Amino acid sequence: MRPLKIVVLAKQVPDTRNVGPDAMKPDGTVNRGKLSTVFNPDDLHALELALDIKDRIPGTEITILTMGPPKAADIIREGYYRGVDFGVMISDRRFGGADTLATSYTLAKGIEKLAPFDLIVGGRQAIDGDTAQVGPQCADKLNLPQVTYVEEILEIKENEIIARRRLEKGIEVVSAPFPCLMTVHGSSPACRSRHAKRVMKYKYARSATELRSADEFMIDLHTKRPHLTIPEWNVEDINADVEKIGLSGSPTKVKSVENIVLTANEAKLLSDSDADIEMMIKELIEHHTIG
């Protein structure tokens, strides 16, 4: 089997476990500067799927592609630590505020620049949007066959890949020709841990933006080891139409934003006695919760 060229789409997302009152801006976009960030969980599953293919087929190369602000370079480093060969950032203030349509257009332009490729994989959805639209929209813009909800790669042939999909009421086995795009379900295997040797090799990897404020040691190190410099593409680098990116390319408009804080009401502690259970049932019936 010939080696494959795989592109992994990954996103840095706000940590939804720690969302405060400043999570949203007045214009309805996420205030990312006020939130801690994590590697999107479903994208980690996609990364593991790509790494598993690399384990099966020697010589396979994986490029991780992310779109985001300068701090999204953390995603590239995390990919390097786990086994990725190359990483690219798409970062420009003009990309800010993009909805799924503008995001998929931007990513598709970046993917085109990475061609040729055999397989594109990404998570089923991002936890900051939960739309599951970006992957399929990328496939549509690139005119590629797509397989969604992938749980496992069953077989890889010269010109096609066979996968198992996890659906709401069962599973499905499908094949797709190369090149194609797949989105990966959260029920697929969890991503492997960082490799200590790769952490030591790539811990000083920096993007062009990060290098602007780097000290003399870091600049000298990147001169000697150019593989540590993370490519950073702007609008012109991917030849994107400015009318199709960021807010200008996003038909989705947020009318209003409301912060909802869930607070605990009065709680009752019940035992497993018959009397307590009977009391609970009567109360639930009275409040029309059951009955």
Side-chain angles (χ1 to χ4, degrees), residues 122-135:
R124 176 175 63 100
Q125 63 186 32
I127 60 173
D128 60 347
D130 289 345
T131 64
Q133 294 175 353
V134 171

mmCIF file with all atom_site columns, all heavy atoms in Angstrom, residues 122-135:
data_model
loop_
_atom_site.group_PDB
_atom_site.id
_atom_site.type_symbol
_atom_site.label_atom_id
_atom_site.label_alt_id
_atom_site.label_comp_id
_atom_site.label_asym_id
_atom_site.label_entity_id
_atom_site.label_seq_id
_atom_site.pdbx_PDB_ins_code
_atom_site.Cartn_x
_atom_site.Cartn_y
_atom_site.Cartn_z
_atom_site.occupancy
_atom_site.B_iso_or_equiv
_atom_site.pdbx_formal_charge
_atom_site.auth_seq_id
_atom_site.auth_comp_id
_atom_site.auth_asym_id
_atom_site.auth_atom_id
_atom_site.pdbx_PDB_model_num
ATOM 1  N N   . GLY A 1 122 ? -11.443 15.432 10.199 1.00 0.00 ? 122 GLY A N   1
ATOM 2  C CA  . GLY A 1 122 ? -11.714 16.422 11.232 1.00 0.00 ? 122 GLY A CA  1
ATOM 3  C C   . GLY A 1 122 ? -12.721 15.856 12.205 1.00 0.00 ? 122 GLY A C   1
ATOM 4  O O   . GLY A 1 122 ? -13.365 14.835 11.936 1.00 0.00 ? 122 GLY A O   1
ATOM 5  N N   . GLY A 1 123 ? -12.885 16.501 13.329 1.00 0.00 ? 123 GLY A N   1
ATOM 6  C CA  . GLY A 1 123 ? -13.877 16.058 14.290 1.00 0.00 ? 123 GLY A CA  1
ATOM 7  C C   . GLY A 1 123 ? -15.292 16.263 13.775 1.00 0.00 ? 123 GLY A C   1
ATOM 8  O O   . GLY A 1 123 ? -15.531 17.070 12.865 1.00 0.00 ? 123 GLY A O   1
ATOM 9  N N   . ARG A 1 124 ? -16.221 15.532 14.334 1.00 0.00 ? 124 ARG A N   1
ATOM 10 C CA  . ARG A 1 124 ? -17.631 15.654 13.928 1.00 0.00 ? 124 ARG A CA  1
ATOM 11 C C   . ARG A 1 124 ? -18.127 17.077 14.103 1.00 0.00 ? 124 ARG A C   1
ATOM 12 O O   . ARG A 1 124 ? -18.802 17.623 13.237 1.00 0.00 ? 124 ARG A O   1
ATOM 13 C CB  . ARG A 1 124 ? -18.482 14.694 14.760 1.00 0.00 ? 124 ARG A CB  1
ATOM 14 C CG  . ARG A 1 124 ? -19.980 14.770 14.508 1.00 0.00 ? 124 ARG A CG  1
ATOM 15 C CD  . ARG A 1 124 ? -20.699 13.701 15.303 1.00 0.00 ? 124 ARG A CD  1
ATOM 16 N NE  . ARG A 1 124 ? -20.532 13.904 16.732 1.00 0.00 ? 124 ARG A NE  1
ATOM 17 C CZ  . ARG A 1 124 ? -21.447 14.467 17.527 1.00 0.00 ? 124 ARG A CZ  1
ATOM 18 N NH1 . ARG A 1 124 ? -22.588 14.899 17.009 1.00 0.00 ? 124 ARG A NH1 1
ATOM 19 N NH2 . ARG A 1 124 ? -21.228 14.593 18.818 1.00 0.00 ? 124 ARG A NH2 1
ATOM 20 N N   . GLN A 1 125 ? -17.768 17.710 15.231 1.00 0.00 ? 125 GLN A N   1
ATOM 21 C CA  . GLN A 1 125 ? -18.198 19.076 15.477 1.00 0.00 ? 125 GLN A CA  1
ATOM 22 C C   . GLN A 1 125 ? -17.303 19.701 16.539 1.00 0.00 ? 125 GLN A C   1
ATOM 23 O O   . GLN A 1 125 ? -16.549 19.012 17.221 1.00 0.00 ? 125 GLN A O   1
ATOM 24 C CB  . GLN A 1 125 ? -19.650 19.138 15.928 1.00 0.00 ? 125 GLN A CB  1
ATOM 25 C CG  . GLN A 1 125 ? -19.930 18.431 17.249 1.00 0.00 ? 125 GLN A CG  1
ATOM 26 C CD  . GLN A 1 125 ? -21.417 18.408 17.581 1.00 0.00 ? 125 GLN A CD  1
ATOM 27 O OE1 . GLN A 1 125 ? -22.268 18.348 16.699 1.00 0.00 ? 125 GLN A OE1 1
ATOM 28 N NE2 . GLN A 1 125 ? -21.738 18.455 18.862 1.00 0.00 ? 125 GLN A NE2 1
ATOM 29 N N   . ALA A 1 126 ? -17.387 21.022 16.674 1.00 0.00 ? 126 ALA A N   1
ATOM 30 C CA  . ALA A 1 126 ? -16.630 21.749 17.690 1.00 0.00 ? 126 ALA A CA  1
ATOM 31 C C   . ALA A 1 126 ? -17.554 22.075 18.858 1.00 0.00 ? 126 ALA A C   1
ATOM 32 O O   . ALA A 1 126 ? -18.733 22.380 18.665 1.00 0.00 ? 126 ALA A O   1
ATOM 33 C CB  . ALA A 1 126 ? -16.052 23.035 17.104 1.00 0.00 ? 126 ALA A CB  1
ATOM 34 N N   . ILE A 1 127 ? -17.040 22.038 20.069 1.00 0.00 ? 127 ILE A N   1
ATOM 35 C CA  . ILE A 1 127 ? -17.892 22.234 21.246 1.00 0.00 ? 127 ILE A CA  1
ATOM 36 C C   . ILE A 1 127 ? -18.317 23.691 21.429 1.00 0.00 ? 127 ILE A C   1
ATOM 37 O O   . ILE A 1 127 ? -19.199 23.961 22.235 1.00 0.00 ? 127 ILE A O   1
ATOM 38 C CB  . ILE A 1 127 ? -17.181 21.740 22.529 1.00 0.00 ? 127 ILE A CB  1
ATOM 39 C CG1 . ILE A 1 127 ? -15.861 22.496 22.760 1.00 0.00 ? 127 ILE A CG1 1
ATOM 40 C CG2 . ILE A 1 127 ? -16.959 20.244 22.483 1.00 0.00 ? 127 ILE A CG2 1
ATOM 41 C CD1 . ILE A 1 127 ? -15.211 22.174 24.095 1.00 0.00 ? 127 ILE A CD1 1
ATOM 42 N N   . ASP A 1 128 ? -17.722 24.618 20.673 1.00 0.00 ? 128 ASP A N   1
ATOM 43 C CA  . ASP A 1 128 ? -18.150 26.011 20.811 1.00 0.00 ? 128 ASP A CA  1
ATOM 44 C C   . ASP A 1 128 ? -19.271 26.379 19.843 1.00 0.00 ? 128 ASP A C   1
ATOM 45 O O   . ASP A 1 128 ? -19.807 27.473 19.888 1.00 0.00 ? 128 ASP A O   1
ATOM 46 C CB  . ASP A 1 128 ? -16.973 26.972 20.630 1.00 0.00 ? 128 ASP A CB  1
ATOM 47 C CG  . ASP A 1 128 ? -16.321 26.853 19.259 1.00 0.00 ? 128 ASP A CG  1
ATOM 48 O OD1 . ASP A 1 128 ? -16.609 25.877 18.546 1.00 0.00 ? 128 ASP A OD1 1
ATOM 49 O OD2 . ASP A 1 128 ? -15.519 27.730 18.906 1.00 0.00 ? 128 ASP A OD2 1
ATOM 50 N N   . GLY A 1 129 ? -19.626 25.450 18.944 1.00 0.00 ? 129 GLY A N   1
ATOM 51 C CA  . GLY A 1 129 ? -20.691 25.745 18.000 1.00 0.00 ? 129 GLY A CA  1
ATOM 52 C C   . GLY A 1 129 ? -21.702 24.616 17.881 1.00 0.00 ? 129 GLY A C   1
ATOM 53 O O   . GLY A 1 129 ? -22.893 24.829 17.728 1.00 0.00 ? 129 GLY A O   1
ATOM 54 N N   . ASP A 1 130 ? -21.210 23.373 17.956 1.00 0.00 ? 130 ASP A N   1
ATOM 55 C CA  . ASP A 1 130 ? -22.058 22.179 17.880 1.00 0.00 ? 130 ASP A CA  1
ATOM 56 C C   . ASP A 1 130 ? -22.901 22.117 16.609 1.00 0.00 ? 130 ASP A C   1
ATOM 57 O O   . ASP A 1 130 ? -24.014 21.586 16.618 1.00 0.00 ? 130 ASP A O   1
ATOM 58 C CB  . ASP A 1 130 ? -22.986 22.090 19.109 1.00 0.00 ? 130 ASP A CB  1
ATOM 59 C CG  . ASP A 1 130 ? -22.240 21.754 20.390 1.00 0.00 ? 130 ASP A CG  1
ATOM 60 O OD1 . ASP A 1 130 ? -21.086 21.314 20.286 1.00 0.00 ? 130 ASP A OD1 1
ATOM 61 O OD2 . ASP A 1 130 ? -22.801 21.943 21.479 1.00 0.00 ? 130 ASP A OD2 1
ATOM 62 N N   . THR A 1 131 ? -22.378 22.642 15.500 1.00 0.00 ? 131 THR A N   1
ATOM 63 C CA  . THR A 1 131 ? -23.166 22.631 14.267 1.00 0.00 ? 131 THR A CA  1
ATOM 64 C C   . THR A 1 131 ? -22.885 21.414 13.398 1.00 0.00 ? 131 THR A C   1
ATOM 65 O O   . THR A 1 131 ? -23.746 21.000 12.630 1.00 0.00 ? 131 THR A O   1
ATOM 66 C CB  . THR A 1 131 ? -22.886 23.892 13.432 1.00 0.00 ? 131 THR A CB  1
ATOM 67 O OG1 . THR A 1 131 ? -21.506 23.877 13.014 1.00 0.00 ? 131 THR A OG1 1
ATOM 68 C CG2 . THR A 1 131 ? -23.181 25.158 14.224 1.00 0.00 ? 131 THR A CG2 1
ATOM 69 N N   . ALA A 1 132 ? -21.677 20.871 13.463 1.00 0.00 ? 132 ALA A N   1
ATOM 70 C CA  . ALA A 1 132 ? -21.263 19.747 12.607 1.00 0.00 ? 132 ALA A CA  1
ATOM 71 C C   . ALA A 1 132 ? -21.371 20.101 11.128 1.00 0.00 ? 132 ALA A C   1
ATOM 72 O O   . ALA A 1 132 ? -21.643 19.248 10.285 1.00 0.00 ? 132 ALA A O   1
ATOM 73 C CB  . ALA A 1 132 ? -22.073 18.485 12.929 1.00 0.00 ? 132 ALA A CB  1
ATOM 74 N N   . GLN A 1 133 ? -21.159 21.366 10.792 1.00 0.00 ? 133 GLN A N   1
ATOM 75 C CA  . GLN A 1 133 ? -21.316 21.830 9.414  1.00 0.00 ? 133 GLN A CA  1
ATOM 76 C C   . GLN A 1 133 ? -19.993 22.040 8.681  1.00 0.00 ? 133 GLN A C   1
ATOM 77 O O   . GLN A 1 133 ? -19.944 21.911 7.451  1.00 0.00 ? 133 GLN A O   1
ATOM 78 C CB  . GLN A 1 133 ? -22.093 23.150 9.401  1.00 0.00 ? 133 GLN A CB  1
ATOM 79 C CG  . GLN A 1 133 ? -23.531 23.021 9.860  1.00 0.00 ? 133 GLN A CG  1
ATOM 80 C CD  . GLN A 1 133 ? -24.238 24.360 9.963  1.00 0.00 ? 133 GLN A CD  1
ATOM 81 O OE1 . GLN A 1 133 ? -23.621 25.411 9.822  1.00 0.00 ? 133 GLN A OE1 1
ATOM 82 N NE2 . GLN A 1 133 ? -25.527 24.324 10.237 1.00 0.00 ? 133 GLN A NE2 1
ATOM 83 N N   . VAL A 1 134 ? -18.935 22.392 9.397  1.00 0.00 ? 134 VAL A N   1
ATOM 84 C CA  . VAL A 1 134 ? -17.701 22.821 8.730  1.00 0.00 ? 134 VAL A CA  1
ATOM 85 C C   . VAL A 1 134 ? -17.088 21.712 7.875  1.00 0.00 ? 134 VAL A C   1
ATOM 86 O O   . VAL A 1 134 ? -16.694 21.946 6.730  1.00 0.00 ? 134 VAL A O   1
ATOM 87 C CB  . VAL A 1 134 ? -16.677 23.359 9.753  1.00 0.00 ? 134 VAL A CB  1
ATOM 88 C CG1 . VAL A 1 134 ? -15.320 23.584 9.084  1.00 0.00 ? 134 VAL A CG1 1
ATOM 89 C CG2 . VAL A 1 134 ? -17.182 24.662 10.367 1.00 0.00 ? 134 VAL A CG2 1
ATOM 90 N N   . GLY A 1 135 ? -16.995 20.502 8.411  1.00 0.00 ? 135 GLY A N   1
ATOM 91 C CA  . GLY A 1 135 ? -16.423 19.409 7.638  1.00 0.00 ? 135 GLY A CA  1
ATOM 92 C C   . GLY A 1 135 ? -17.173 19.160 6.342  1.00 0.00 ? 135 GLY A C   1
ATOM 93 O O   . GLY A 1 135 ? -16.585 19.180 5.250  1.00 0.00 ? 135 GLY A O   1
#
